Amino acid sequence: CPAGSYQASAVTATSDTVCRGCPAGTIGTGGAAACVTCSAGAYVPANSTGSCSSFTCPVGTTDADSNSSTPCVTCTPGSTGMYVPAGSTGACSSYACAAGTFSANTTSATSPCVSCNSGYYATAGAHSCTAWTVCSGGKVELVAPTATSDRRCYTVCPAGAYQVTA
């Protein structure tokens, strides 16, 4: 049998060898060998030859249903910063940039998430980092900033006064 197929039945005295194309999700080396199932993170069309690794979902796409017989899905970031590495599986939303990192690419999920510079922070799924707030006008720092959260400031009350907080 040719590559991309398998031997469904052997030659007999009354019939020829019957070859069938390998189904989607599998690779066929031909001959009498059975088709080999490829793992999730790829899309392998029917009658494919070669190695499973040559059918890996490319960067920016995912094997959303973890089934190598169905096409890879293109992830579109929209309002969420994300990076989807090659061979990914699962929902696009699970590849959002972690807090403290961002991806400025709003049209595809092909740009890796990068860390914010010192003095900036980002929440999960960010397309950019935001500068830390500067406490001014009589306000002092209540909570220090981090790569994942902004500084929180509060107003110092004059002597003899107090502030009620909710």
Side-chain angles (χ1 to χ4, degrees):
C1 294
S5 65
Y6 67 98
Q7 183 176 322
S9 62
V11 66
T12 66
T14 58
S15 67
D16 288 333
T17 299
V18 175
C19 298
R20 299 215 194 286
C22 289
T26 66
I27 297 290
T29 58
C35 302
V36 177
T37 301
C38 296
S39 59
Y43 169 53
V44 185
N47 307 315
S48 292
T49 62
S51 68
C52 290
S53 62
S54 56
F55 294 93
T56 300
C57 292
V59 172
T61 69
T62 182
D63 182 3
D65 61 1
S66 297
N67 183 338
S68 61
S69 68
T70 57
C72 303
V73 175
T74 298
C75 297
T76 306
S79 62
T80 303
M82 66 174 60
Y83 171 65
V84 184
S88 293
T89 59
C92 291
S93 59
S94 64
Y95 293 95
C97 294
T101 68
F102 74 101
S103 176
N105 192 335
T106 59
T107 58
S108 73
T110 58
S111 299
C113 302
V114 294
S115 297
C116 295
N117 290 329
S118 180
Y120 293 82
Y121 75 97
T123 56
H127 280 300
S128 63
C129 296
T130 305
W132 290 336
T133 297
V134 175
C135 298
S136 61
K139 294 183 178 185
V140 294
E141 183 175 275
L142 175 65
V143 177
T146 67
T148 61
S149 64
D150 196 9
R151 173 181 285 120
R152 289 185 43 207
C153 305
Y154 73 100
T155 304
V156 177
C157 296
Y162 69 95
Q163 181 177 10
V164 178
T165 58

